[in-house]
Amino acid sequence: MNYQPKIITGTVKGTGWPIDGHTLHFSQWDYDNYESWHLYGWDDADDEAVMQTIFITETEAGLCNYNTLEDFAKDWKAKKWEPQAAFCLELDKVEVVEVVQQEVKNDTRDKLRAHGINLTPRKYSDKGGILCLPLDKNLNGDVQAKHPDWVPIECPNCGRKCWKMSEADKLKEAQGVTFLCTECAVKAGFLNSYQKNQRKPGGNRAQRRQAKREKR
Ligand SMILES: [Zn+2]
């Protein structure tokens, strides 16, 4: 069975970047001693803030291959951008909202399509797509005390109790999103993902450069 990291949704705070206040998906791994949150994915509503943040941080780190946000955004939106480094945050920069998956040794990936729900990963500015709703069992039990505007509903895929936030209906009306609990969304891979970026043929950027050099 494959190793699986802990996966959470958490609200970012105190970074000074556009992702502050956004609730994103993070993973935590044994190999770095549980000392940071790795960006794992995000909902489309957060895509713009994540894009701007990655541009800023790559530029500050001297790793960015683009001179302007405009050029960066063009490739980002065309899904051509490649991560130059893992994006991690310190533990105190993420306020955990929901523990979606505890660290496990078992591979529990589900096949959502077998349930007859035909969903594809959402692209920038697409209509439709997924909105992740926190599962009741992953929360602390005092949901309505903390979030008086949340309403309990059943996940349309697995039927388990999850919570709908007030923006959800607006998104459904404006963009035609489909509701799904976070576990169904994560297991089915229906998130914009930092790690699942398609590998280009011929390896990563450095490997392709090396191959070019060797040809000369
Ligand atoms: Zn579900």
Side-chain angles (χ1 to χ4, degrees):
M1 289 291 179
N2 294 333
Y3 175 82
Q4 299 218 350
K6 183 176 184 178
I7 295 172
I8 62 146
T9 61
T11 305
V12 181
K13 55 174 187 174
T15 68
W17 294 321
I19 52 171
D20 276 352
H22 286 261
T23 301
L24 309 177
H25 302 255
F26 293 94
S27 56
Q28 191 178 65
W29 298 78
D30 53 0
Y31 65 71
D32 66 1
N33 293 322
Y34 312 100
E35 281 169 356
S36 60
W37 292 113
H38 293 236
L39 184 59
Y40 176 84
W42 55 93
D43 301 338
D44 270 14
D46 303 301
D47 196 54
E48 188 73 26
V50 172
M51 180 189 75
Q52 290 178 13
T53 299
I54 300 284
F55 176 73
I56 292 167
T57 53
E58 283 193 353
T59 300
E60 283 175 355
L63 291 168
C64 196
N65 291 306
Y66 304 85
N67 291 321
T68 65
L69 178 60
E70 204 183 4
D71 288 346
F72 184 81
K74 205 192 283 174
D75 270 12
W76 178 279
K77 287 167 188 177
K79 307 282 183 197
K80 286 181 188 162
W81 166 81
E82 294 173 69
Q84 297 302 304
F87 185 88
C88 298
L89 291 176
E90 291 160 32
L91 297 181
D92 67 350
K93 296 287 191 284
V94 177
E95 191 174 325
V96 177
V97 173
E98 181 190 10
V99 177
V100 177
Q101 177 184 275
Q102 294 290 352
E103 184 184 29
V104 287
K105 307 288 181 193
N106 293 352
D107 181 5
T108 56
R109 190 176 176 89
D110 283 346
K111 296 276 179 271
L112 188 72
R113 283 184 187 86
H115 290 257
I117 297 181
N118 187 22
L119 300 166
T120 53
R122 196 160 176 221
K123 294 185 192 74
Y124 187 80
S125 81
D126 270 3
K127 295 279 181 185
I130 307 300
L131 184 71
C132 298
L133 306 180
L135 271 166
D136 187 66
K137 73 176 181 69
N138 294 335
L139 302 172
N140 285 331
D142 55 351
V143 176
Q144 270 172 325
K146 263 190 182 166
H147 309 280
D149 59 317
W150 288 14
V151 176
I153 66 165
E154 286 177 0
C155 169
N157 183 54
C158 66
R160 286 176 294 180
K161 182 179 175 186
C162 50
W163 290 87
K164 191 178 71 168
M165 48 291 281
S166 52
E167 316 88 84
D169 287 324
K170 272 182 239 158
L171 280 169
K172 190 163 200 170
E173 200 180 317
Q175 299 184 10
V177 297
T178 300
F179 299 149
L180 212 55
C181 77
T182 38
E183 282 190 11
C184 285
V186 165
K187 283 174 183 170
F190 290 134
L191 294 169
N192 284 313
S193 176
Y194 193 77
Q195 297 180 328
K196 287 178 212 129
N197 260 293
Q198 298 251 324
R199 285 279 158 83
K200 289 209 174 151
N204 64 27
R205 194 184 301 269
Q207 288 162 340
R208 291 199 307 275
R209 274 186 193 145
Q210 181 67 31
K212 249 188 202 170
R213 275 198 293 274
E214 282 166 5
K215 265 192 201 162
R216 280 176 201 151

